[in-house]
Structure formats: structure tokens, C-alpha cells
């Protein structure tokens, strides 16, 4: 899952990026509204964390422009403490949730997980696909109750497929959601991750959809 982090305070931005990386997300970062608007408008993020008080273009304007352009990714806004009117304005502008500063990183991560799950149509913290269960709180996947040993890239690929199970996902979709923008991307590596995941999963769970990509689905087992 790939997250856009928009925050102009360098310390907080670094803390957010570090906490998100530790939780298994990849992040792109912006420290002003103009860059934030451009990135959110042109890159396919799974969610955005958006500070409202930003140089060059304020966060509310950024959010309104994204929504006006049809960008539907979940957006969690960061508001000033005790500023109820900011929260109201933010939600009216299209925010999905808000947190007032200062906040606990654990709460931010929990809200972010919930936003991403709901965007994929999953209400519960555990997403199941047949014998496979993704525990979004612990950042792990289990097969028949046994935790799978996965590299961070394998986990990101599997997590994205689990959130979008039953859908055909192209290699380029996967690349865009498992790497940050400044990463040297190579779509061939996706095939490697898929091959490794297939060895760890029941046969046929990750289908190849000719000309489209891959699809994760529960197999009927005897
Ligand atoms: Ca700010």
C-alpha cells in the first residue's frame, strides 16, 4: 500500500514516514500544497495523510481540487487542536477522517488501516480469502492459522491482492502500489514476488489473467 504524506513540519513528516514504513507502507512525501496537489492528482495512492496548514496552497484547497478532479483515495486530515471548524470544513471538502494535533501515532495507524480497508469494501480488521487471512493490525498473513514468512515486498503484494481480491490486478498496478515514486521500479520484479508467493500459497490461489495481470481468489478445496 502506498501512502502520500503531506506535512510541512520536517520532524513530524519524518516521524510519519518512519512509522508508516515500520507498518509496511511505502510513502511519497510533500511539504507544501502545490507538490501535494500534483502528486495526489497524478499518482495512484491507497490513502493520503494531509496537514491542513501548508505553504503555497492550503490543505483544504488541495483536498477540494482532488475531489473536484474525481480523485477518490481515502484522505485523513491533520487539524489544529480545538479547531472544530477545521474538522467540519475538512469533512465537507471530502476528508474521510481527521486527527487533531498532537496525536498518537498508533491512533493514526489504526485510522489509516480502517480507511484503507473500507475503501476496499472490508469492514473488519481481518480480511479473509479462503484459508488465507490478512491481519491488518499486526501486518501479517496467515494460512490455515499459521503465520506466513514473507519479505516486506511479498507482504505488500499479497496485502494489495487481498484488499482487492477477486479483481484482476495488472503488473503496473502492483508496481504503483508497492513502490514509492522515487524508487527505481522494475515491473519484472513483480513476477518474482508473485512466483515466490505462489510457492507459499495453495496452488491456483493467484491466477494469471491473460493480458490483464493477476487475480487472488479462494479456491474450493476438497
Ligand atoms: Ca502545517
Amino acid at each position: 500500500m502506498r501512502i502520500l504524506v503531506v506535512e510541512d513540519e520536517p520532524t513530524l513528516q519524518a516521524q510519519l514516514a518512519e512509522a508508516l514504513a515500520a507498518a509496511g507502507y511505502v510513502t511519497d512525501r510533500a511539504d507544501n500544497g502545490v507538490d501535494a496537489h500534483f502528486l495526489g492528482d497524478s499518482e495512484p495512492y491507497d490513502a493520503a495523510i494531509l496537514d491542513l496548514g501548508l505553504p503555497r496552497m492550503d490543505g483544504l484547497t488541495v483536498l477540494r481540487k482532488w475531489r473536484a478532479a474525481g480523485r477518490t483515495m481515502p484522505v485523513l486530515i491533520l487539524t489544529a487542536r480545538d479547531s472544530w471548524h477545521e474538522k467540519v470544513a475538512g469533512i465537507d471538502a471530502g476528508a474521510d477522517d481527521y486527527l487533531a494535533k498532537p496525536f498518537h501515532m498508533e491512533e493514526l495507524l489504526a485510522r489509516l488501516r480502517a480507511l484503507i480497508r473500507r475503501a476496499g469494501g472490508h469492514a473488519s480488521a481481518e480480511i479473509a480469502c479462503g484459508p488465507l487471512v490478512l491481519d491488518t493490525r499486526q501486518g501479517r498473513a496467515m494460512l490455515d492459522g499459521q503465520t506466513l514468512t514473507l519479505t516486506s515486498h511479498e507482504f505488500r503484494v499479497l496485502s494489495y491482492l487481498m484488499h482487492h481480491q477477486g479483481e484482476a490486478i495488472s503488473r503496473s498496478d502492483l508496481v504503483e502500489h508497492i513502490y514509492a515514486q522515487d524508487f527505481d521500479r522494475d515491473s519484472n520484479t513483480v513476477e518474482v514476488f508473485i512466483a515466490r508467493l505462489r510457492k507459499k500459497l495453495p496452488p491456483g490461489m493467484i491466477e494469471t489473467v491473460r493480458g490483464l495481470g493477476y487475480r487472488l481468489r479462494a479456491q474450493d478445496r476438497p
Side-chain angles (χ1 to χ4, degrees):
M1 296 288 161
R2 186 174 166 201
I3 313 295
L4 176 61
V5 175
V6 186
E7 172 57 62
D8 59 316
E9 290 171 43
T11 308
L12 180 55
Q13 192 201 76
Q15 287 168 345
L16 283 164
E18 193 179 326
L20 291 167
Y25 300 104
V26 289
T27 56
D28 290 342
R29 297 183 241 174
D31 61 6
N32 67 80
V34 171
D35 290 350
H37 171 252
F38 174 76
L39 284 170
D41 204 37
S42 52
E43 297 288 326
Y45 295 104
D46 296 294
I49 296 166
L50 177 66
D51 183 33
L52 291 187
L54 292 171
R56 299 181 67 193
M57 187 192 295
D58 69 87
L60 277 179
T61 305
V62 172
L63 182 54
R64 286 197 190 101
K65 282 172 165 281
W66 283 343
R67 295 312 193 210
R71 306 296 291 181
T72 59
M73 73 278 197
V75 175
L76 173 68
I77 53 170
L78 304 179
T79 67
R81 205 154 91 100
D82 299 330
S83 176
W84 63 268
H85 56 274
E86 265 194 9
K87 296 167 192 163
V88 172
I91 288 167
D92 280 345
D96 299 276
D97 201 357
Y98 63 83
L99 261 181
K101 292 180 179 178
F103 52 84
H104 289 282
M105 206 55 86
E106 283 302 313
E107 183 176 4
L108 178 131
L109 292 172
R111 288 178 182 275
L112 189 63
R113 286 194 294 271
L115 288 180
I116 292 171
R117 285 197 314 263
R118 289 203 296 264
H122 305 283
S124 150
E126 290 192 345
I127 299 173
C129 180
L132 189 61
V133 173
L134 182 75
D135 183 339
T136 63
R137 289 163 303 193
Q138 305 289 330
R140 62 181 180 174
M142 288 163 293
L143 181 66
D144 292 323
Q146 298 283 99
T147 300
L148 288 170
T149 305
L150 301 171
T151 67
S152 59
H153 280 108
E154 288 165 11
F155 180 79
R156 283 182 202 140
V157 170
L158 184 60
S159 174
Y160 193 77
L161 291 174
M162 289 287 284
H163 278 81
H164 298 275
Q165 57 185 274
E167 296 172 35
I169 305 292
S170 71
R171 274 198 299 172
S172 62
D173 278 344
L174 281 172
V175 167
E176 286 185 323
H177 289 272
I178 65 171
Y179 293 123
Q181 190 192 31
D182 53 5
F183 197 87
D184 182 19
R185 299 171 184 187
D186 178 357
S187 67
N188 291 320
T189 58
V190 166
E191 284 181 37
V192 175
F193 300 141
I194 292 283
R196 289 197 203 137
L197 282 171
R198 279 177 166 153
K199 287 186 185 154
K200 300 178 182 183
L201 298 177
M205 266 198 97
I206 300 179
E207 298 175 325
T208 298
V209 185
R210 197 173 293 276
L212 288 174
Y214 305 102
R215 178 167 52 213
L216 183 76
R217 65 185 197 103
Q219 295 291 298
D220 298 326
R221 294 201 296 180

